[in-house]
Amino acid sequence: MKEITTEAIHAIHRNLTDFGYTGLTLDFVKTQVDCVMNGEKPKGIIGMFCKDMLEKNGYLAQEEE
């Protein structure tokens, strides 16, 4: 797995704001990413989007169904 960098957090934040979540702060996105990376279940839609982006970009192993 790749190490999560500040640039990766910024990219996730940028993607989410491009999707229309304009009120998000970078700190909130970082908190959601940290939770997911620590094995916690995603909290809300933003957490689920973060988890999906992390999996698709090689930062987090995809869960087995």
Side-chain angles (χ1 to χ4, degrees), residues 23-39:
L24 291 178
T25 65
L26 194 58
D27 285 337
F28 182 77
V29 172
K30 182 178 180 339
T31 299
Q32 294 300 304
V33 168
D34 289 343
C35 288
V36 169
M37 293 305 294
N38 288 329

Side-chain angles (χ1 to χ4, degrees), residues 49-62:
F49 274 129
C50 288
K51 181 178 182 285
D52 185 57
M53 285 185 246
L54 291 167
E55 288 175 342
K56 286 182 178 175
N57 290 289
Y59 293 100
L60 182 66
Q62 292 189 357

Side-chain angles (χ1 to χ4, degrees), residues 1-52:
M1 296 293 103
K2 297 191 286 188
E3 181 180 337
I4 295 184
T5 62
T6 302
E7 291 80 19
I9 302 287
H10 280 276
I12 291 170
H13 179 261
R14 188 171 40 255
N15 285 340
L16 289 168
T17 56
D18 287 350
F19 287 151
Y21 296 99
T22 56
L24 291 178
T25 65
L26 194 58
D27 285 337
F28 182 77
V29 172
K30 182 178 180 339
T31 299
Q32 294 300 304
V33 168
D34 289 343
C35 288
V36 169
M37 293 305 294
N38 288 329
E40 297 177 32
K41 283 192 136 192
K43 296 177 180 121
I45 192 72
I46 301 304
M48 290 188 296
F49 274 129
C50 288
K51 181 178 182 285
D52 185 57

